[in-house]
Amino acid sequence: MSVAIEALPWQDHELGSMHIRKLTGGEQAEHVKAYQENYQIADGFTLVREQMQTATPIVYPEMNSDGYVGVCFAFADVNKTDKQIAFPHLYHEQMNVTNGYHYPEQKHNALNKPSYYTSLQFRPEYLLALHKQQPLPSWLLHLVDGSCQQVVTQIQVPTSLRELGWQICRMPRSETLSDCMRIQAKALSWLAMLLEIPEQMNRRHYRQQDVMIAKKIQQAVNIIQNEFHTELTITSLASRVALNECYLKKGFKNETGLGIHEYLTEYRLEQSCQLLRCRPDLSIKSVASMCGYQPSYFSQVFKSRF
């Protein structure tokens, strides 16, 4: 048995610049405790904090990017495993960075254990205005410029920043305007600390990330060369090498000089030429099939290329 997150009996109310969402009583909420606060710190700058504990798996719908850039921490029982939680990329020792999520329906299965989540969410225009006054860290500016879509990555940050995220998660629920002000002050401290993260730490992160991505690109190349005769998609390749599609496409082009579809086509045609030269006994139809093509389309692509 499971329950959809939006089917739960939520109750909403406002307190100053804060929107509070919590569960009311009822059969569906009997085994679920959930609470969410959204603080509008400034136009385009929001703090979100959530708590969740459930004895029933919670089903999350597919979500699309809402046009924001976010940094977040998620905390949970150390004994949880990635298989027990809905979004394992959030439960990481480093700070998560994203420009929106897009994932298939998943379940929160970490039963009877509290989970905490807190996030700073920005509209790109807010960060660009901030960048004019004080340079943004390179990893944050990279997401704001719109050069990559639907990224979830981790950034190495000082321990003090993670401790601040945990403090925000554990602060009591807001009952008064003064409670709101204290949490808003913590959000501003978080933003200030982000702007002060040493740039050399960011460079070290990207060097490590570049090496990791290069290895995964080579894995994708190997898959194409070994399985060129099968149906291969960018989505399936990204899943198999555990790399975001955007990073896969960009990294593949940087490493090979070709897009993934271009590389696959070129490799298939190279193999077909070898077969035509070395196996004159094979029919065009057989060569096409062995290289992953329908015969009529193979003739069209072959003629266009050669």
Side-chain angles (χ1 to χ4, degrees), residues 64-82:
N64 294 311
S65 169
D66 192 28
Y68 69 85
V69 173
V71 295
C72 65
F73 288 111
F75 302 92
D77 189 296
V78 293
N79 294 320
K80 284 184 180 178
T81 66
D82 287 353

Side-chain angles (χ1 to χ4, degrees), residues 86-99:
F87 315 117
H89 58 265
L90 291 180
Y91 291 77
H92 199 281
E93 291 183 357
Q94 299 176 1
M95 186 177 69
N96 301 277
V97 184
T98 177
N99 59 348

Side-chain angles (χ1 to χ4, degrees), residues 37 102 117 143 149 154 162 196 209 233 282 297 301:
E37 294 178 350
H102 181 84
Y117 167 86
L143 295 185
Q149 297 298 315
Q154 285 83 37
R162 182 170 175 80
E196 294 169 352
Q209 189 179 55
T233 66
L282 293 175
Y297 185 62
V301 174

